[in-house]
Amino acid sequence: MSDNEFNIESADAGASATIPMEAGQIKKGGYIMIKGKPCKVLSISVSKTGKHGHAKCNFLAVDIFTGKKLEDMVPSSHGTTVPVVVRSEWEIIDIGDEDELTLMDEGGDQKTDVNLPGFPDSMAQEIRTAWAEGENQVSVTVQAAVGIEQVIAYKKIAE
């Protein structure tokens, strides 16, 4: 390849999967990265300023993809990272033998790189039952953060 040729593999805008934020600015119900996992904040307790002058925020959060509870303590004036979480609605076109989904959005775009959810345990079977081999229309909500996409909810579409 010569100097004038470019091989572009992806066409994203180059946006980061996380954004920096001061720990004291994160609110209950917001998102935070704990141990490299995107989490939804369940509760925050703030300790008083100590002899070193920093109040500490103690975050209790749940992983948005696995449901595991995680805890982190960060000085309120220090920076931490917040994941960029995107939700989108898709309609199920097909469910494969290996639990892979073929999805279509309102614009007609197809997506084939999402599987039935592993958490909660019963949701995958509930979606299969609701879809009934294509007898019913089922819409799913796909949540994406830090390069991971997962189905988090579904609903049967009334005809």
Side-chain angles (χ1 to χ4, degrees), residues 41-60:
V41 177
L42 298 175
S43 69
I44 305 167
S45 57
V46 182
S47 64
K48 290 185 195 171
T49 55
K51 64 180 178 185
H52 298 294
H54 289 290
K56 287 202 166 61
C57 295
N58 190 17
F59 294 99
L60 179 63

Side-chain angles (χ1 to χ4, degrees), residues 63-140:
D63 186 314
I64 62 174
F65 295 120
T66 65
K68 264 179 141 172
K69 281 192 176 176
L70 296 165
E71 206 169 353
D72 197 13
M73 190 172 272
V74 185
S76 63
S77 59
H78 286 208
T80 187
T81 52
V82 174
V84 177
V85 179
V86 180
R87 291 178 179 210
S88 53
E89 291 289 323
W90 298 82
E91 189 181 319
I92 297 177
I93 303 299
D94 188 33
I95 301 177
D97 298 332
E98 306 272 317
D99 286 348
E100 67 276 3
L101 297 172
T102 303
L103 306 171
M104 187 168 71
D105 68 0
E106 289 178 2
D109 297 325
Q110 286 200 357
K111 178 189 246 346
T112 56
D113 56 353
V114 178
N115 289 350
L116 284 171
F119 165 81
D121 298 332
S122 60
M123 191 188 291
Q125 191 54 47
E126 289 171 16
I127 292 172
R128 271 192 188 280
T129 305
W131 188 64
E133 296 299 321
E135 293 291 318
N136 302 315
Q137 283 186 302
V138 176
S139 166
V140 294

Side-chain angles (χ1 to χ4, degrees), residues 18-41:
T18 60
I19 53 174
M21 188 177 278
E22 201 173 272
Q25 301 298 312
I26 297 171
K27 303 289 177 230
K28 182 179 174 183
Y31 297 101
I32 186 173
M33 292 293 289
I34 298 178
K35 297 180 180 121
K37 308 234 181 287
C39 300
K40 186 171 187 148
V41 177

